[in-house]
Amino acid sequence: MNQRKLASDSVAEIGLGCMNLSHAYGVPPEPAVAKALLHAALDLGIDHFDTAALYGFGRNEALVGETLQPFRQRLFLASKCGMTGVDGKRVIDGRPETLRQTCKEALQRLRTDVIDLYYLHRWDKQVPVEESVGALADLVREGHIRSIGLSEVSAQTLRKAHAVHPIAAVQSEYSLWTRNPEIALLDACRDLGIALVAFSPLARGFLANGIADPRDFVEKDIRRAMPRFNPPHFGRNRQLLDQFNRLAWEAGCTPAQLAIAWLLAKAPFVLPIVGTTSIAHLREDVAASTIRLAAGTIEAVERLINADTVSGTRYPAETLTEIDTEVTPNAG
């Protein structure tokens, strides 16, 4: 697989987001299935693995640590703090003492002495971002983490944080149907030499042509609360897929590969992380690294799926108040 720069390392340009092996999309796979997928990722050349304290309230970090510890020297390991599970509930807490404790627990679960990239998962708006980043900078100086990242922040917040300590990466939702980074964050990353790690590159499965009817989502699937997957928005968005699938066929790839290849073509500092519980889907996703899209194809998909043509916000209103990213005209 081709390589891209992440922090001070060179990693495979497509990484694995490990969240849905423990969290977010209903009942997670059995541990044996999850471990098999992580091993398959290694075999496919993936060396960038992304987890967080929040995912499964620690269970995902433990899974990643147990499975990948024998291969630690060949891996780039990323995790996140600042949003965790407390008494069974999701809590955003960016206080320095909380970040330090979360990191201590993460190191134990991940079975490592140092985390390559440690993100502030959400900016806690009750705590100045400079204060939270200052605490992470202390962890760098102490050797517990190698580099600092931010997740779901605006360009303005990124620049404030970068003035305190160099930020290596920003993780943000970025796909054809979530174009928020293009408002200002993409330019800020380019100016500052920061990687943009794009999560949900397949629009939470939508661009992989894998969602026939959102009413089939299981009870704890977070997409049940996302406006784009609910009436009237899903019906409108579904109308985009036939043409998108045709564009993929014309490009000689699958819809999922078209979505990932589009991201890879946006900028050399954009690194998608894919998430799946299926080894077959993972192989399909990784193969996007071999695809080079014609300029006409890129223009066609951008005209078809963009902030103006996608219906509905990406998160429910309450969640949108918790994040700091710039918003598109439809407030998504």
Side-chain angles (χ1 to χ4, degrees):
M1 201 188 314
N2 298 315
Q3 302 281 300
R4 296 197 172 188
K5 183 182 178 183
L6 182 57
S8 58
D9 289 71
S10 180
V11 302
E13 64 183 358
I14 298 172
L16 182 68
C18 300
M19 178 181 75
N20 56 352
L21 298 179
S22 307
H23 188 87
Y25 295 113
V27 180
E30 292 294 324
V33 174
K35 291 176 182 178
L37 186 126
L38 291 171
H39 285 135
L42 288 171
D43 293 342
L44 289 166
I46 290 175
D47 54 7
H48 169 202
F49 292 83
D50 181 275
T51 181
L54 177 71
Y55 303 159
F57 294 177
R59 291 190 299 276
N60 196 248
E61 286 181 328
L63 169 70
V64 170
E66 178 185 353
T67 308
L68 299 183
Q69 192 278 332
F71 313 98
R72 179 66 183 95
Q73 297 306 310
R74 56 188 268 207
L75 304 181
F76 186 95
L77 201 55
S79 193
K80 309 178 194 72
C81 61
M83 186 161 62
T84 57
V86 178
D87 296 329
K89 295 182 179 180
R90 180 176 61 87
V91 173
I92 296 174
D93 185 348
R95 292 175 298 171
E97 60 270 26
T98 301
L99 304 185
R100 176 175 290 275
Q101 180 62 28
T102 305
C103 181
K104 179 181 178 180
E105 295 167 356
L107 289 166
Q108 294 172 345
R109 288 191 290 254
L110 290 167
R111 304 188 186 191
T112 187
D113 295 327
V114 61
I115 300 169
D116 297 307
L117 174 59
Y118 205 45
Y119 294 93
L120 185 65
H121 203 162
R122 289 289 185 274
W123 170 33
D124 178 355
K125 297 178 182 179
Q126 305 305 311
V127 180
V129 70
E130 295 91 342
E131 190 173 325
S132 296
V133 171
L136 296 179
D138 289 340
L139 294 174
V140 173
R141 285 188 283 271
E142 294 165 12
H144 301 304
I145 64 178
R146 291 198 172 101
S147 55
I148 297 172
L150 302 176
S151 179
E152 294 275 48
V153 297
S154 65
Q156 180 181 25
T157 300
L158 171 60
R159 292 182 187 278
K160 286 181 180 179
H162 193 69
V164 175
H165 186 280
I167 301 299
V170 176
Q171 187 167 139
S172 191
E173 183 174 357
Y174 189 24
S175 69
L176 277 162
W177 90 337
T178 297
R179 308 288 279 277
N180 304 61
E182 296 176 4
I183 299 171
L185 186 62
L186 205 61
D187 285 341
C189 287
R190 182 181 289 107
D191 292 345
L192 298 172
I194 294 171
L196 197 160
V197 175
F199 74 82
S200 295
L202 301 182
R204 303 186 185 274
F206 179 80
L207 294 174
N209 203 29
I211 302 170
D213 189 341
R215 291 175 295 184
D216 295 334
F217 291 153
V218 298
E219 182 180 351
K220 293 185 178 181
D221 192 316
I222 60 173
R223 293 172 294 185
R224 288 171 64 99
M226 292 178 174
R228 290 179 181 175
F229 293 102
N230 284 284
H233 305 296
F234 184 76
R236 297 169 184 165
N237 294 329
R238 187 69 182 82
Q239 294 176 17
L240 302 170
L241 281 185
D242 286 345
Q243 180 61 23
F244 182 69
N245 294 342
R246 280 195 292 271
L247 289 169
W249 179 81
E250 291 169 1
C253 62
T254 68
Q257 290 167 345
L258 176 57
I260 296 168
W262 173 82
L263 264 176
L264 291 171
K266 291 304 292 181
F269 55 87
V270 173
L271 294 90
I273 51 173
V274 298
T276 182
T277 59
S278 163
I279 292 174
H281 289 167
L282 184 61
R283 290 195 188 101
E284 177 186 349
D285 294 345
V286 167
S289 181
T290 66
I291 295 167
R292 299 293 174 267
L293 298 178
T297 300
I298 293 172
E299 292 169 3
V301 295
E302 290 184 347
R303 282 196 307 270
L304 177 68
I305 303 177
N306 57 61
D308 294 325
T309 62
V310 172
S311 182
T313 57
R314 65 190 181 105
Y315 286 129
E318 182 179 355
T319 305
L320 286 172
T321 66
E322 298 175 347
I323 60 177
D324 181 52
T325 52
E326 292 87 0
V327 297
T328 52
N330 65 4

